[in-house]
Amino acid sequence: MTQSDTSLAIELRGISKAFGPVQANKDISIQVRRGTIHGIIGENGAGKSTLMSILYGFYKADSGEIYIGGKKTDIPDSQAAIDAGIGMVFQHFKLVENFSVLENVVLGAEDGRLLKPSLSKARKLLKQLADDYEMDVDPDAIIEDLGVGQQQRVEILKALYREADILILDEPTGVLTPAEADHLFRILEGLRDEGKTIILITHKLREIMEITDSVSVMRRGEMTATVQTAETSPEQLAELMVGRKVLLRVDKTPAKPGAVVLEVENLRVVDEQKVERLRGIDLTIRAGEVLGIAGVAGNGQSELLEVLGGYANGTGTIRVNGQPIDLTGTASDARTRRARGIAHVPEDRQREGLIMDYRAWENVGFGYHHDAKFGSGIFMDNAALKADCVAKMERFDVRPPDPNLTAKNFSGGNQQKIVLAREIERNPDLLLIGQPTRGVDIGAIEFIHQQIIALRDQGKAILLVSVELDEIMALSDRIAVMFDGRIMGERLPDQTDQRELGLLMAGVTGAAA
Amino acid sequence: MNDAMPKWADILLIPIINLALALFVSGVVVALIGENPFEALRILINGAVGSAYGWGYTLYYATNFIFTGLAVAVAFHARMFNIGGEGQAALGGLGVALILLFVDWPHWSLGLLAAIAASAVFGAAWAAIPAWLQARRGSHIVITTIMFNFIASALMVYLLSKVLLVPGAGGSPETARFAEAVRLPSAYDIAPWLGFSRSTPLNISFFVAMLAALGVWLLIWRTRLGYEIRAFGFSEPAALYAGISPTRIIMIAMLVSGGLCGMMAVNAVMGEAERLVIDSVQGAGFVGIAVALMGRSHPVGVLLAALLFGILYQGGAEVEFEIPGITREMIVVIQALVILFTGALDNMVRMPVERLFLSRRRQPVAPLPKDPTHPGGNPDAGKVEP
């Protein structure tokens, strides 16, 4: 410990926290210097969020000490955290949707019984912050009318209004376009230069490399390393996170596109609120190629997958292997789509792809439970399902390989492997795959990407939807960008860059890079 | 489907703890009104299972509760809360009465098959309307089924007092007695050596109930349909993804449920009363809810819970008879306490027991704790609209 304590904004000493038998944090010590951006990176379940929840007073550590600005501090609840100068920006914003920006900023921190003095004070502060850090947000705008990036700025403003010196951001870029993320980073850098301390929790190596000064890596509840960002590399960080060497790039040969497998013409979907979610989609996928759909979440990608998968109503034309698919009536359900050779790894595996209360062996037949190999007549052959599950678990390296374990007790990556095994091993002509690596640890990402490319190389058509631009760039043979229910344009991955795609994702056309 | 503790604890230990708590509180209540709780308990148990006479009534009641308990359990698997058992069972009774009054059956066995079919069809038909309204219009099944209980009750009063009433039946609204040929063999007929008296209400329907339990087990855990019903019950979005039609599952689950409720009439109407009387169901439809809850919607659990409630019904009647201080209403309070502890307050016992088991076992794959910053468990599941 070479620095004096007062140069440290936060110091944690020996923090441990267990939930029943699960040791979420094990003897964690960390020092964050004042005026720096410190990254905390780790896989899902590594204990990042638990650690930050302890720092913000949601959990009480079983043991260990917290020092804020060199002073030992107890944080029994979030008010104590705020009083200690800690501000937190959650992944899911905690804003009152029908309040104005100003009202949200002041909420809970009103000076007295009358609202007006607080509001005018906040208005002044907002104006000043807007000038200082490009944080221009209309103080009188209603939250629900604002874009995601602006809502996030309101969260930051809230923390600053409470005079936070230490700002913790939990996966802040998950919902942002690349341009919005860049803007956020500029704001964070400005805040750091003002002397604020920023802790950035993320699973994206690129962000760590781009913006942090130092980074701590967590694995299975332990802090495995703290390094200066300038002295490390993505490969080294990935290895520290996973505990072994990880291939960050996807090795693939150029695609050899064959016959057209999927043709979509003028596909439209209107949701229950009569809002048009797909406004005339046209696309084509050939055998042996991956078409990547890029876009910020909520721009119609989910509806595209659902209507292709057979459980959302749409109009237009869908042809698989040249044969049109009936989009009307009860015959047009997910079961008939599977019979036509369409397999689907849905975006939300916990809500759709798996029955979380079913055991693994029950889940490997899900959607295919009418197959002859899983039973005869009205009865299901549970033994056949179990045998199939054991085989799939071995081939897809599902851990633990226990077919009797309930789906919810597998990690995200292993849940996804179960879904993938089920869908890929059906040998489909077309694979729909949404957010293949969301909530999946790095080690499993590598495996899942390899499986997708292997399927492509077998001559299958693949429609990949992902909000992770890196993933789209790495896997796709062609990239289509969706915005507001339309396809804004198609690009080849080696002839475009994140900036151009980012503009398309924000709905800006005609601004060719 | 819970890995937190072994199956035996889920199925046996927790209900037993629940029951013990219910009995303890009941004992306190009995003591408070100045009676001896141990004496009351002795009379209750002795009256229910202390003699062939008691067993006859206990198992007769249990048979009713097996049918209604299975019915509620099947609906539970599709996450449908069928509280219309009263009405469906009443209509089942109507089906039994019509098929036995207006058709001459040469032998009770044929009459039994016909009565099973008629009661199931009538009960299912009564459940079909709320089911359709739920599946197609989104009308909540709890509201509609309970409304159908009242409609059924009014319908039965009308039919029994105006249409099916036998002249000169002493003024009570009931149908004529069924023919002697369709009298079901009672426990006395089947196994006189067990000491049952000629008047015992227990009859061959008990075996029909056992077969129904086996059928429900096969349906839920061994058929593709049962797989779909359970999948739908766990997650409707997942069911849609898998190509399972919600309308189909809701209709089938509720038809099976209503049919099972209706079949209760084979025991109560054909087997015991041998005519259709007003209020032939006597609350069994509601007891079925408690039975299904306590039996964790599993046929074996339903059998055991139905037996318990049979004991409470029969034993309670004996206590009421033997101890004047304990009135009919007191018995209802005790039954309500059992329902309260086994059904509504189940989690009160479940959580600490689960924690106990978890803390005694450290396994690497235990579920990660819910994170307060990520409600719903999946940190990335939140979709944000543009």
Side-chain angles (χ1 to χ4, degrees):
Chain A
M1 261 173 259
T2 51
Q3 301 124 2
S4 73
D5 270 351
T6 45
S7 73
L8 296 177
I10 295 185
E11 183 178 7
L12 302 179
R13 288 189 193 163
I15 297 279
S16 291
K17 175 77 186 168
F19 298 94
V22 181
Q23 190 78 33
N25 284 162
K26 247 179 285 182
D27 190 25
I28 291 195
S29 296
I30 180 175
Q31 298 179 332
V32 180
R33 290 189 52 206
R34 193 185 300 281
T36 61
I37 299 181
H38 187 93
I40 295 186
I41 194 163
E43 301 187 307
N44 283 303
K48 300 172 298 208
S49 294
T50 303
L51 188 65
M52 290 307 118
S53 298
I54 290 169
L55 198 47
Y56 202 62
F58 279 151
Y59 293 143
K60 187 153 176 44
D62 298 336
S63 59
E65 293 168 342
I66 301 172
Y67 293 83
I68 308 281
K71 210 171 74 202
K72 186 169 183 299
T73 312
D74 248 1
I75 305 182
D77 53 34
S78 51
Q79 189 56 49
I82 292 168
D83 293 342
I86 299 174
M88 182 114 174
V89 176
F90 293 96
Q91 190 176 9
H92 301 284
F93 306 144
K94 308 208 179 301
L95 297 170
V96 182
E97 292 260 302
N98 52 359
F99 271 21
S100 71
V101 170
L102 214 50
E103 286 167 325
N104 266 289
V105 167
V106 172
L107 186 67
E110 306 90 348
D111 288 333
R113 297 215 171 270
L114 289 176
L115 215 47
K116 203 146 184 201
S118 314
L119 286 177
S120 54
K121 180 178 150 203
R123 189 181 294 276
K124 237 181 272 163
L125 181 88
L126 251 54
K127 177 146 180 7
Q128 190 201 328
L129 290 170
D131 297 343
D132 291 355
Y133 308 109
E134 304 178 59
M135 290 242 264
D136 44 331
V137 185
D138 174 10
D140 297 309
I142 304 298
I143 295 296
E144 59 194 357
D145 299 335
L146 296 179
V148 183
Q150 293 216 310
Q151 291 191 13
Q152 192 173 54
R153 263 168 255 164
V154 177
E155 285 282 12
I156 297 173
L157 288 170
K158 260 171 67 181
L160 294 178
Y161 184 75
R162 285 157 181 73
E163 296 172 351
D165 281 322
I166 300 159
L167 205 56
I168 305 172
L169 295 102
D170 188 7
E171 301 279 358
T173 59
V175 291
L176 303 181
T177 63
E180 284 173 321
D182 284 345
H183 190 166
L184 172 70
F185 288 166
R186 280 204 304 281
I187 293 172
L188 295 182
E189 279 164 354
L191 289 169
R192 172 192 53 194
D193 297 344
E194 281 290 301
K196 307 270 186 201
T197 307
I198 289 158
I199 297 183
L200 179 72
I201 303 170
T202 183
H203 67 277
K204 294 181 187 170
L205 292 167
R206 194 163 50 81
E207 292 176 357
I208 293 287
M209 297 310 293
E210 201 174 314
I211 185 173
T212 62
D213 301 304
S214 51
V215 53
S216 298
V217 184
M218 290 189 72
R219 169 155 46 103
R220 290 193 200 145
E222 289 180 83
M223 194 66 85
T224 50
T226 296
V227 290
Q228 295 301 309
T229 310
E231 294 164 9
T232 186
S233 65
E235 287 75 15
Q236 191 199 358
L237 287 177
E239 198 181 327
L240 286 168
M241 275 165 77
V242 183
R244 63 178 169 82
K245 281 224 181 296
V246 178
L247 200 62
L248 288 178
R249 299 190 144 277
V250 183
D251 272 337
K252 62 172 185 166
T253 52
K256 300 183 195 71
V260 170
V261 174
L262 176 73
E263 287 167 279
V264 173
E265 281 166 27
N266 194 27
L267 188 63
R268 290 172 185 275
V269 168
V270 178
D271 70 9
E272 278 169 6
Q273 280 81 44
K274 309 276 177 239
V275 177
E276 200 171 32
R277 306 310 297 254
L278 289 188
R279 304 163 187 258
I281 298 285
D282 299 296
L283 52 86
T284 305
I285 310 178
R286 293 173 175 278
E289 69 169 354
V290 177
L291 174 68
I293 306 273
V296 179
N299 277 291
Q301 304 97 311
S302 305
E303 287 78 5
L304 178 64
L305 286 175
E306 284 167 12
V307 73
L308 290 173
Y311 55 106
N313 292 318
T315 56
T317 313
I318 300 174
R319 275 191 293 272
V320 174
N321 294 325
Q323 298 297 311
I325 280 184
D326 187 5
L327 288 179
T328 58
T330 51
S332 164
D333 68 358
R335 192 177 158 190
T336 53
R337 299 296 160 82
R338 287 186 173 82
R340 294 287 297 274
I342 303 179
H344 182 184
V345 177
E347 287 185 299
D348 190 339
R349 75 187 81 90
Q350 303 193 337
R351 205 173 103 91
E352 296 182 342
L354 294 166
I355 297 286
M356 299 302 279
D357 290 293
Y358 268 4
R359 293 173 194 283
W361 65 266
E362 289 176 293
N363 270 305
V364 295
F366 192 51
Y368 304 105
H369 50 278
H370 289 284
D371 280 11
K373 69 170 177 173
F374 292 142
S376 59
I378 63 166
F379 289 103
M380 280 192 93
D381 185 347
N382 292 349
L385 274 170
K386 277 179 200 169
D388 189 52
C389 185
V390 169
K392 283 193 165 85
M393 284 178 144
E394 195 189 325
R395 279 196 294 275
F396 278 75
D397 189 30
V398 177
R399 278 178 258 179
D402 176 3
N404 284 316
L405 201 62
T406 311
K408 62 183 170 201
N409 290 332
F410 287 92
S411 71
N414 284 299
Q415 288 172 357
Q416 188 72 325
K417 284 181 188 172
I418 294 174
V419 178
L420 267 178
R422 180 180 77 207
E423 301 301 323
I424 287 181
E425 299 227 331
R426 274 287 301 210
N427 196 21
D429 293 332
L430 169 66
L431 178 71
L432 312 172
I433 182 162
Q435 320 300 350
T437 55
R438 172 185 278 172
V440 169
D441 42 71
I442 289 200
I445 289 175
E446 182 187 2
F447 178 85
I448 289 168
H449 284 174
Q450 285 165 355
Q451 291 295 323
I452 292 172
I453 294 304
L455 193 69
R456 180 201 74 161
D457 292 343
Q458 286 168 35
K460 310 300 183 186
I462 294 168
L463 179 75
L464 166 75
V465 170
S466 176
V467 293
E468 303 278 354
L469 213 40
D470 291 335
E471 181 166 75
I472 293 280
M473 301 275 280
L475 293 177
S476 307
D477 299 308
R478 286 184 294 131
I479 300 172
V481 182
M482 271 185 87
F483 173 75
D484 196 24
R486 289 194 185 86
I487 291 192
M488 302 305 291
E490 225 179 88
R491 298 286 185 272
L492 295 175
D494 48 2
Q495 291 169 19
T496 186
D497 55 24
Q498 300 236 352
R499 201 183 84 81
E500 187 193 20
L501 293 176
L503 285 172
L504 288 170
M505 283 162 70
V508 182
T509 48
Chain B
M1 295 297 147
N2 195 321
D3 298 330
M5 55 184 173
K7 211 168 178 170
W8 62 267
D10 186 34
I11 290 176
L12 282 176
L13 183 63
I14 291 201
I16 287 172
I17 297 175
N18 283 330
L19 186 62
L21 280 173
L23 286 180
F24 174 75
V25 177
S26 303
V28 170
V29 174
V30 169
L32 279 177
I33 60 169
E35 301 291 343
N36 181 348
F38 298 102
E39 177 66 7
L41 184 64
R42 191 192 63 79
I43 294 172
L44 189 146
I45 290 173
N46 201 36
V49 298
S51 66
Y53 172 85
W55 272 109
Y57 275 93
T58 297
L59 290 179
Y60 162 74
Y61 289 127
T63 305
N64 285 340
F65 302 152
I66 292 170
F67 281 119
T68 54
L70 289 173
V72 176
V74 168
F76 269 155
H77 281 292
R79 196 159 289 178
M80 291 284 117
F81 199 174
N82 178 17
I83 57 176
E86 289 287 306
Q88 290 145 20
L91 265 286
L94 180 65
V96 168
L98 293 179
I99 204 98
L100 295 181
L101 286 172
F102 295 103
V103 182
D104 276 335
W105 300 97
H107 190 263
W108 65 263
S109 58
L110 294 175
L112 176 62
L113 292 177
I116 290 172
S119 61
V121 167
F122 272 64
W126 202 247
I129 305 166
W132 191 87
L133 288 171
Q134 170 76 60
R136 278 305 157 103
R137 315 288 313 173
S139 317
H140 204 289
I141 198 96
V142 169
I143 310 289
T144 47
T145 48
I146 204 163
M147 280 162 60
F148 265 66
N149 284 343
F150 290 104
I151 300 173
S153 165
L155 179 69
M156 297 308 281
V157 169
Y158 169 76
L159 288 176
L160 285 174
S161 59
K162 301 277 184 197
V163 184
L164 297 169
L165 181 73
V166 248
S172 64
E174 58 186 44
T175 66
R177 233 184 153 70
F178 304 146
E180 190 59 28
V182 294
R183 204 180 70 77
L184 289 180
S186 70
Y188 171 79
D189 299 323
I190 298 169
W193 66 87
L194 286 176
F196 289 109
S197 73
R198 202 176 283 276
S199 65
T200 187
L202 182 62
N203 63 79
I204 200 165
S205 310
F206 179 71
F207 296 110
V208 179
M210 298 303 233
L211 285 177
L214 178 65
V216 166
W217 180 79
L218 282 173
L219 169 71
I220 297 296
W221 279 284
R222 284 295 178 270
T223 68
R224 301 184 204 259
L225 179 61
Y227 179 90
E228 292 194 333
I229 288 174
R230 285 183 295 134
F232 174 80
F234 283 126
S235 167
E236 184 169 349
L240 279 171
Y241 156 81
I244 297 168
S245 155
T247 305
R248 180 167 165 269
I249 296 301
I250 292 173
M251 289 305 294
I252 290 177
M254 283 302 291
L255 288 178
V256 172
S257 180
L260 283 164
C261 273
M263 281 162 68
M264 187 203 114
V266 173
N267 184 45
V269 176
M270 185 183 187
E272 201 266 333
E274 297 177 15
R275 64 196 187 284
L276 184 59
V277 300
I278 210 98
D279 192 23
S280 60
V281 186
Q282 293 188 321
F286 290 124
V287 175
I289 298 169
V291 168
L293 282 173
M294 190 174 182
R296 313 232 66 80
S297 298
H298 192 286
V300 175
V302 166
L303 291 181
L304 293 175
L307 179 64
L308 171 73
F309 276 88
I311 290 171
L312 282 178
Y313 256 58
Q314 167 56 18
E318 293 291 326
V319 172
E320 180 192 342
F321 185 73
E322 297 275 331
I323 308 178
I326 299 181
T327 59
R328 176 87 208 115
E329 285 69 30
M330 260 323 289
I331 301 299
V332 174
V333 167
I334 292 171
Q335 287 166 356
L337 281 170
V338 173
I339 294 176
L340 190 68
F341 276 93
T342 57
L345 300 182
D346 182 66
N347 273 340
M348 191 177 77
V349 169
R350 180 167 298 271
M351 307 284 266
V353 174
E354 271 184 13
R355 264 204 294 277
L356 188 72
F357 273 99
L358 274 177
S359 67
R360 284 184 48 187
R361 179 191 57 153
R362 290 184 170 248
Q363 67 165 36
V365 291
L368 284 166
K370 280 250 164 76
D371 189 323
T373 58
H374 304 137
N378 179 2
D380 295 313
K383 280 189 236 161
V384 177
E385 302 304 320

